[in-house]
Amino acid sequence: MIYQRLALYNCSYPLNSLFRNSSIRVIPDRFNGLENNVNKLIGSCNGFLCLYDPDQNNMIMYNPSIGLKSKSSPKLKPSPDWVLVCSGFGYDHVNDKYKVLAGLVCNFDGVDFRESLTVIYTFGEDSWRTIQDLPNGICDYFYRRSGKYVSGTLNWIGHDRRGDDHASITSFDLDNETYRDVLLPQNVGYSYYMCRPSLCVLNDNLCLCYVNRTHLVVWLMKEYGVVESWTKLMNFPCEKLINLNYIHQPSIIELLFVSENDVALLMVSSQLFLYNLNNGVLSLPFTSIDNVYAPQIYRENLISPRL
């Protein structure tokens, strides 16, 4: 049986235990074989995690199931003036390689920057390569999150920087290293002012999550890149989250996982929740953990990363 786990910071939690009884405290498993406990999670793919070490300014590919890591990448940032603002990790099927993409900006003050740079690293090689910048402005707010890996691509959701309530998905093909747009479902009416839309991956399918005036809506793309294959998967009220004041500007709701008995694991404003879709019961599985950033779901495997 292949088990799935939730990775947070330098540890992971078994999802089957978490969903079986949320009232029992689940003990995390610490990552072994890592010298630095402040690594940042960049992404997950095929049971591997990609982690960024801000102190050493490099990245590694790591298998948390067996505690083995790859050789570290060369240094990412050319100088301390550069800031990592977006990233993504995935698998190149054509060349049988794992790659990590990084978007950097120079002299970034939270709004403006002087220069931008997009680079990619193939694990097992000796250097980062400069590639074409992400379209529509690399410093767009939505791009400051990890790209979601689906079908050999990394995907980010963005909005028009002029302030229009319009979202779009930018896809990066890891095989040929090119960009394309992925169309959203027709007549999507999300509330930008209440909650920003987000992407998630369920059963290897790309999903769109957004909040309208009253509900959290989830669409699933059954066939990647085919706009006609978007199917509405969930539509449930979010009034409890609003009443608890966990939705506030600028919030992002991310759907991380849905169990076989219809319990959803959500991240709302850096807090994790379990939400029972059948009875509407809301619970906090990690009362001692807040300010969660970039959690990753991964499947256990026993394959050694390329050293």
Side-chain angles (χ1 to χ4, degrees), residues 287-299:
T287 55
S288 61
I289 298 178
D290 55 12
N291 294 322
V292 174
Y293 179 78
Q296 301 292 332
I297 303 295
Y298 69 92
R299 296 184 179 92

Side-chain angles (χ1 to χ4, degrees), residues 1-7 11-17 26-32 44-49 62-67 98 204 257 296-305:
M1 180 179 294
I2 298 176
Y3 293 101
Q4 298 192 74
R5 303 182 69 92
L6 169 70
C11 64
S12 70
Y13 296 81
L15 287 177
N16 59 333
S17 299
V26 180
I27 305 300
D29 294 319
R30 297 289 173 179
F31 291 161
N32 295 318
S44 65
C45 177
N46 299 337
F48 296 111
L49 298 176
Y62 176 69
N63 186 336
S65 301
I66 56 178
Y98 287 87
D204 299 321
F257 189 81
Q296 301 292 332
I297 303 295
Y298 69 92
R299 296 184 179 92
E300 294 181 332
N301 78 46
L302 301 178
I303 301 173
S304 175

Side-chain angles (χ1 to χ4, degrees), residues 67-244:
L68 290 180
K69 65 178 183 178
S70 69
K71 177 183 176 182
S72 299
S73 75
K75 292 187 180 300
L76 169 62
K77 296 188 292 184
S79 74
D81 294 332
W82 291 86
V83 178
L84 176 65
V85 293
C86 75
S87 57
F89 168 67
Y91 178 62
D92 175 347
H93 296 82
V94 171
N95 299 295
D96 188 26
K97 299 286 187 180
Y98 287 87
K99 296 178 177 179
V100 56
L101 176 146
L104 306 166
V105 294
C106 188
N107 293 338
F108 182 53
D109 62 5
V111 178
D112 297 316
F113 54 91
R114 188 181 66 196
E115 299 177 68
S116 65
L117 178 68
T118 302
V119 293
I120 194 166
Y121 175 70
T122 301
F123 282 95
E125 298 186 355
D126 297 324
S127 62
W128 292 87
R129 290 182 290 109
T130 301
I131 61 173
Q132 179 186 354
D133 269 352
L134 280 163
N136 303 322
I138 197 171
C139 203
D140 184 297
Y141 178 90
F142 293 111
Y143 284 129
R144 287 186 242 165
R145 307 191 73 80
S146 296
K148 302 301 180 181
Y149 174 77
V150 178
S151 299
T153 67
L154 298 173
N155 299 268
W156 297 264
I157 189 164
H159 74 106
D160 193 318
R161 294 189 69 187
R162 294 172 297 180
D164 297 335
D165 291 342
H166 175 73
S168 61
I169 296 174
T170 295
S171 170
F172 178 75
D173 190 308
L174 287 161
D175 295 343
N176 55 36
E177 300 182 1
T178 58
Y179 301 102
R180 61 172 287 195
D181 292 330
V182 175
L183 298 179
L184 298 176
Q186 293 184 352
N187 302 318
V188 169
Y190 66 88
S191 175
Y192 169 79
Y193 297 101
M194 180 183 295
C195 190
R196 303 177 189 273
S198 64
L199 298 178
C200 69
V201 179
L202 296 178
N203 297 321
D204 299 321
N205 295 113
L206 186 67
C207 295
L208 167 70
C209 308
Y210 65 91
V211 174
N212 58 26
R213 292 184 180 276
T214 58
H215 286 70
L216 174 63
V217 183
V218 180
W219 289 77
L220 180 144
M221 181 174 264
K222 291 184 176 180
E223 185 176 352
Y224 180 79
V226 179
V227 64
E228 294 80 9
S229 72
W230 281 112
T231 303
K232 187 176 288 188
L233 185 67
M234 300 178 194
N235 184 42
F236 54 92
C238 56
E239 58 184 354
K240 290 188 177 182
L241 295 174
I242 297 174
N243 292 337
L244 289 173

Side-chain angles (χ1 to χ4, degrees), residues 239-306:
E239 58 184 354
K240 290 188 177 182
L241 295 174
I242 297 174
N243 292 337
L244 289 173
N245 295 320
Y246 282 107
I247 293 183
H248 53 77
Q249 277 190 301
S251 293
I252 290 182
I253 294 182
E254 290 195 25
L255 176 62
L256 301 175
F257 189 81
V258 180
S259 69
E260 293 180 352
N261 57 345
D262 293 329
V263 177
L265 176 61
L266 302 170
M267 184 176 73
V268 183
S269 298
S270 301
Q271 174 67 59
L272 294 175
F273 294 91
L274 290 178
Y275 188 93
N276 191 307
L277 302 176
N278 297 314
N279 57 26
V281 172
L282 186 72
S283 59
L284 282 73
F286 309 108
T287 55
S288 61
I289 298 178
D290 55 12
N291 294 322
V292 174
Y293 179 78
Q296 301 292 332
I297 303 295
Y298 69 92
R299 296 184 179 92
E300 294 181 332
N301 78 46
L302 301 178
I303 301 173
S304 175
R306 292 175 176 84

Side-chain angles (χ1 to χ4, degrees), residues 30-49:
R30 297 289 173 179
F31 291 161
N32 295 318
L34 297 179
E35 294 81 10
N36 192 346
N37 290 325
V38 295
N39 291 289
K40 296 182 179 180
L41 293 170
I42 298 297
S44 65
C45 177
N46 299 337
F48 296 111
L49 298 176

